[in-house]
Amino acid sequence: MATSASGAPWDADLWSSHDKMLTQPLKDCDLEVYSIIKKESHRQRTGLELIASENFASRAVLEALGSCLNNKYSEGYPGQRYYGGTEFIDELELLCQRRALQVYGLDPQCWGVNVQPYSGSPANFAVYTALVEPHGRIMGLDLPDGGHLTHGFMTDKKKVSATSIFFESMPYKVDPDTGYINYAQLEENARLFRPKLIIAGTSCYSRNLDYARLRRVADDNGAYLMADMAHISGLVAAGVVPSPFEHCHVVSTTTHKTLRGCRAGLIFYRKGVRSVDPKTGRETQYNLESLINSAVFPGLQGGPHNHAIAGVAVALKQAMTPEFRVYQQQVVANCRALARTLTGLGYKVVTGGSDNHLILVDLRSKGTDGGRAEKVLEACNIACNKNACPGDKSALRPSGLRLGTPALTSRGLLEEDFQEVARFIHRGIELTLQIQDAVGAKATLKEFTEKLAGAAEHQQAVAALRAEVESFAALFPLPGLPDF
Ligand SMILES: *Cc1c(COP(=O)(O)O)cnc(C)c1O
């Protein structure tokens, strides 16, 4: 028998099956992972996806994501790489950058973009790293009020987000009565706190932000204004909600929510002339470009995910089409139909409606809460998530449900379909109330869930609703790769 360089016996059979391992389809190579994907695809197909941050990426996006671009290392930026063989990667990254600016109508003289962030959270952390010194001050919307973890969340007991560990964060809040952001209080607190950065961005807020007002607060305090448009970047691209670019120094986003690409992040920054001295005519330039680029790489990340950059580039091309604009208009129309129908069924929608792709339903007046409703709806193949409502007393028992329309609109649902979806949700919540009655109002969520799974009459009711939901969902095709 031959031996390898290390002296170990060399097995020709293993060597030839090693070759097979690299060319076999997933189904033949790894049945376990293959069947998990199959199960998940079935779950997506037979369920109603109302999680506001989710969407179904197109086939073309997923093809780019599954390509050989996965294999290539390219630390650095186009034209300045730490690896060879990056000719086509440079071409790809520059294309992605051009499209990102084009989608938002940005002049390349005044705006640049970094397309390397792995996702939304790393993108945000890169902005803070670039613009705020360690323990410098940041203000963002509080998590229970609809902000994102990365905007600096902490509790009485714990600094939860790294943003609150490495920087000092002070939240701003919504008005518990109206559900709208309390800008007056934000202004007052910013005066005292003197933040270096104010974040205008939300994960659960159904209204447009007042970017102009936030910019005034930033200017009054010598702060940067960053929009984190993760949830709404597709709506902004289609022009169906106000664009943050006019008023912000920096804009970050994810690419997989309303923008409907693969999972990644983008950071847009102003560049060129910042101001001109009226007396001397001397220009001051923005210095954001080098700060942000060096925070992403080499500051926080290694090699860019080139397959993801390709997926983002494809999504951006799609986002520039008239079809995409119609899609986003439909997302908003569907959301309003959902809000209207639920209001008609006696539900309280926070702020009374929506300007965008999501609503927050306050279940307190119905006598239940988000956690219980979420469990029952999940058992009926309706996916959404519990969320705190303005004025909630306990973070442990959030009383709201966050419902979003981007994913199901990608499957082709229209307003009347969303009226049907609202009725399914209503039946799920009626069921929640029945189970709650049976188990007692004081029961824990665990006891409630046990009752839901254990009692035959509830199981029957759930199965009946689930069967209806499944046959309704089956009417709408699932975007993506044909095999899954
Ligand atoms: C989703 C979201 C993020 C984070 O995105 P990930 O890709 O999950 O890291 C950041 N900011 C806001 C406002 C978001 O909604």
Side-chain angles (χ1 to χ4, degrees), residues 227-377:
D228 175 355
M229 61 169 187
H231 259 261
I232 55 166
S233 52
L235 302 169
V236 173
V240 303
V241 298
S243 169
F245 285 95
E246 187 189 337
H247 301 289
C248 295
H249 300 99
V250 175
V251 176
S252 71
T253 186
T254 56
T255 51
H256 46 276
K257 298 178 182 175
T258 48
L259 196 57
R260 206 164 62 183
C262 56
R263 315 191 83 84
L266 301 172
I267 304 170
F268 298 86
Y269 47 82
R270 281 189 186 265
K271 62 182 211 183
V273 179
R274 177 169 197 167
S275 57
V276 184
D277 188 311
K279 290 206 195 89
T280 62
R282 259 191 49 195
E283 293 180 343
T284 316
Q285 305 281 318
Y286 280 107
N287 63 346
L288 300 173
E289 177 164 25
S290 62
L291 291 173
I292 284 174
N293 285 343
S294 58
V296 174
F297 177 85
L300 291 163
Q301 296 193 167
H305 292 183
N306 294 306
H307 57 311
I309 292 174
V312 170
V314 173
L316 292 169
K317 180 182 160 99
Q318 294 181 337
M320 283 185 263
T321 60
E323 288 83 353
F324 190 76
R325 175 187 268 267
V326 165
Y327 159 67
Q328 297 294 357
Q329 288 166 341
Q330 195 60 52
V331 165
V332 174
N334 285 345
C335 191
R336 291 183 183 160
L338 182 65
R340 259 195 320 273
T341 315
L342 286 171
T343 307
L345 290 164
Y347 291 87
K348 181 169 178 282
V349 173
V350 174
T351 76
S354 178
D355 297 328
N356 56 29
H357 63 298
L358 68 80
I359 55 173
L360 178 60
V361 182
D362 185 342
L363 294 173
R364 277 175 291 195
S365 59
K366 286 276 175 180
T368 187
D369 63 273
R372 282 156 183 75
E374 180 196 285
K375 288 280 180 226
V376 176
L377 291 171

Side-chain angles (χ1 to χ4, degrees), residues 26-43 483-484:
L26 176 61
K27 185 161 84 182
D28 305 331
C29 170
D30 187 339
L31 198 55
E32 277 170 288
V33 168
Y34 178 82
S35 22
I36 291 170
I37 298 176
K38 273 290 193 198
K39 282 188 286 190
E40 172 61 13
S41 137
H42 182 262
R43 187 194 69 82
D483 283 353
F484 294 118

Side-chain angles (χ1 to χ4, degrees), residues 127-138 167 196-197 224:
V127 176
Y128 311 150
T129 304
L131 305 187
V132 186
E133 71 288 357
H135 293 286
R137 295 171 188 173
I138 293 176
F167 302 93
K196 187 76 182 283
L197 176 75
Y224 288 112

